[in-house]
Amino acid sequence: MFTAHEQQLRERFSAAPLSPPPPPWRPSVARPIGGLLGIGFAADPGTGHDLVMAVSQGGHGVFDSVTGAVLARDRDPDPDVAEPSGASLTCPGLGPLAGTEVRIAGLHGGGLHATTRDGWTIDVVSPQWPHQRVLLSTDGGLYHGPAGRDWWLVHETTHAALRTCGFSPSGLTLAIATAGVLLLYTRA
């Protein structure tokens, strides 16, 4: 069934304590969003800061990833573009992202960046399926040794389905999105 190595990984991931991402990461947003379908990143055209666009059954929203401020909200988007579509799974931006297409990762597919230029990695594992665990590491995803040194269990889904997780293209924002909540962590 499992090799000895796979069994070791399964036991290691199952035993890891849940902890927040380590410094330099800091929490910036923990926002309930019912019916969340997916999220995407785009740079603020004025400042270059990471913005997050959330697509849900209740509409679209754009958030500043550092402050958590809601920059734009559309509770009734055009039904023809309300959900990610096309080969690139995009939705039209709103507010500061108006006029741009934002790639959305989540229920319909797609994905966010799994690594940063300076070596942070994020992975999703399911040692106790169907529950998913989100792992953050600084060792390129090797997961050697116990949690808390080079890798951390930063989220566990037990009730709401994981939609997506990953980094912004800049590598300065980490996002974890479930069907009911958006969690953002930032670093300078």
Side-chain angles (χ1 to χ4, degrees):
M1 178 127 85
F2 291 110
T3 66
H5 175 70
E6 290 169 335
Q7 187 60 35
Q8 284 178 330
L9 286 176
R10 186 172 189 223
E11 290 169 4
R12 186 177 304 145
F13 296 154
S14 294
L18 186 62
S19 64
W25 298 102
R26 67 171 188 77
S28 62
V29 173
R31 182 174 302 277
I33 302 177
L36 184 66
L37 301 174
I39 64 166
F41 285 105
D44 183 311
T47 65
H49 290 229
D50 290 338
L51 300 181
V52 177
M53 181 168 164
V55 175
S56 75
Q57 293 173 340
H60 297 176
V62 175
F63 304 93
D64 181 300
S65 69
V66 175
T67 66
V70 178
L71 303 177
R73 180 81 169 97
D74 183 354
R75 294 183 191 282
D76 190 25
D78 179 343
D80 293 333
V81 294
E83 294 189 13
S85 62
S88 298
L89 295 173
T90 62
C91 283
L94 63 149
L97 301 178
T100 63
E101 291 291 315
V102 179
R103 286 183 174 212
I104 304 296
L107 179 65
H108 297 291
L112 302 175
H113 290 257
T115 60
T116 65
R117 288 184 209 110
D118 59 344
W120 290 94
T121 302
I122 194 157
D123 284 301
V124 177
V125 298
S126 298
Q128 298 169 356
W129 188 88
H131 305 297
Q132 296 175 304
R133 292 176 157 222
V134 178
L135 306 177
L136 177 66
S137 73
T138 58
D139 66 0
L142 297 176
Y143 305 109
H144 292 296
R149 189 177 64 207
D150 296 324
W151 67 276
W152 300 262
L153 168 63
V154 295
H155 188 77
E156 182 174 19
T157 62
T158 56
H159 296 26
L162 183 67
R163 294 295 190 227
T164 191
C165 61
F167 301 101
S168 62
S170 71
L172 299 178
T173 304
L174 166 63
I176 300 170
T178 72
V181 70
L182 173 62
L183 301 171
L184 297 178
Y185 301 89
T186 60
R187 62 185 177 138

